[in-house]
Amino acid sequence: MVLAGQLLVAACFAELAARYPISGAIYQWSSRLSNATFGWFAGWIMVIGQIVVVAAAALALQMVLPAIWSGFQLVGGDPAPTSPDGAANAAVLGVILLVLTTLVNILDNRVMSVINRVGVTAEIIGAILIVVLLLTHSNRTPSITFHTTGSLEGGLLGALLVGSFTAAYVMIGFDSAGEMSEETHNPAAPRPARSSPRSPPRASSAA
């Protein structure tokens, strides 16, 4: 059910991105679909959400990079995010990531496009590998998904409501993909018609 809902959300963002390739993203879409007041609120909510998500993604580097290579632990020696060293190192890694992403956005959109394609490809490959590993190395059957007794009030309905939070969290990801439409250069201008080289030239008439 959550997957079906995600596909519907993706279809909505794809439709919006195709029809509104202009700057402003959520503000523009909300303003045109409703009114300027609704767009104002949606725009500010999106700004706050972007600040929280970017900060969370930057600080999440501490969970991954030191585990891959100890050289990423630039501050102290304890990589645990809850430790003072881990928290300080997470802030350092987060600042470095923000500086690099800012430079990429300033330098050239083509560089950002290449990085985006590499990231999406890696994410798709990783998701496929995770699915394969879960199917071939699972210790429990898929029926464990429906075992909610004692762990969550509300039974299956409660579990579904909790699962819906995941869909709300990744909506910013869909919007980020839709914002790529803003890179369209002068989308309202009509494309010039191509003349066929085989067609005979028109005879000009003098007044």
Side-chain angles (χ1 to χ4, degrees), residues 47-62:
V47 169
I48 296 172
Q50 288 283 15
I51 294 174
V52 174
V53 171
V54 169
L59 296 177
L61 293 178
Q62 182 64 25

Side-chain angles (χ1 to χ4, degrees), residues 21 49 54 57 60 94 114 166 197:
V54 169
V114 172
T166 304

Side-chain angles (χ1 to χ4, degrees), residues 134-202:
L134 288 176
L135 291 176
T136 56
H137 294 77
S138 60
N139 296 325
R140 300 178 180 179
T141 61
S143 61
I144 191 66
T145 307
F146 300 98
H147 295 175
T148 58
T149 304
S151 59
L152 185 67
E153 296 182 1
L156 293 178
L157 178 60
L160 180 63
L161 292 177
V162 171
S164 65
F165 282 112
T166 304
Y169 180 79
V170 300
M171 281 188 69
I172 296 182
F174 284 120
D175 171 70
S176 299
E179 288 176 6
M180 294 298 291
S181 62
E182 295 184 12
E183 305 301 328
T184 304
H185 178 68
N186 197 12
R191 295 182 178 180
R194 296 182 179 179
S195 58
S196 175
R198 296 182 179 180
S199 57
R202 296 180 179 179

Side-chain angles (χ1 to χ4, degrees), residues 16-29 32 178-184 186-188:
L16 288 171
R19 295 184 176 274
Y20 295 103
I22 52 180
S23 179
I26 288 293
Y27 169 76
Q28 287 285 4
W29 298 349
R32 291 167 182 262
E179 288 176 6
M180 294 298 291
S181 62
E182 295 184 12
E183 305 301 328
T184 304
N186 197 12

Side-chain angles (χ1 to χ4, degrees), residues 117-140:
R117 292 177 184 177
V118 172
V120 170
T121 304
E123 186 175 359
I124 293 175
I125 295 174
I128 294 174
L129 291 177
I130 290 176
V131 171
V132 172
L133 291 175
L134 288 176
L135 291 176
T136 56
H137 294 77
S138 60
N139 296 325
R140 300 178 180 179

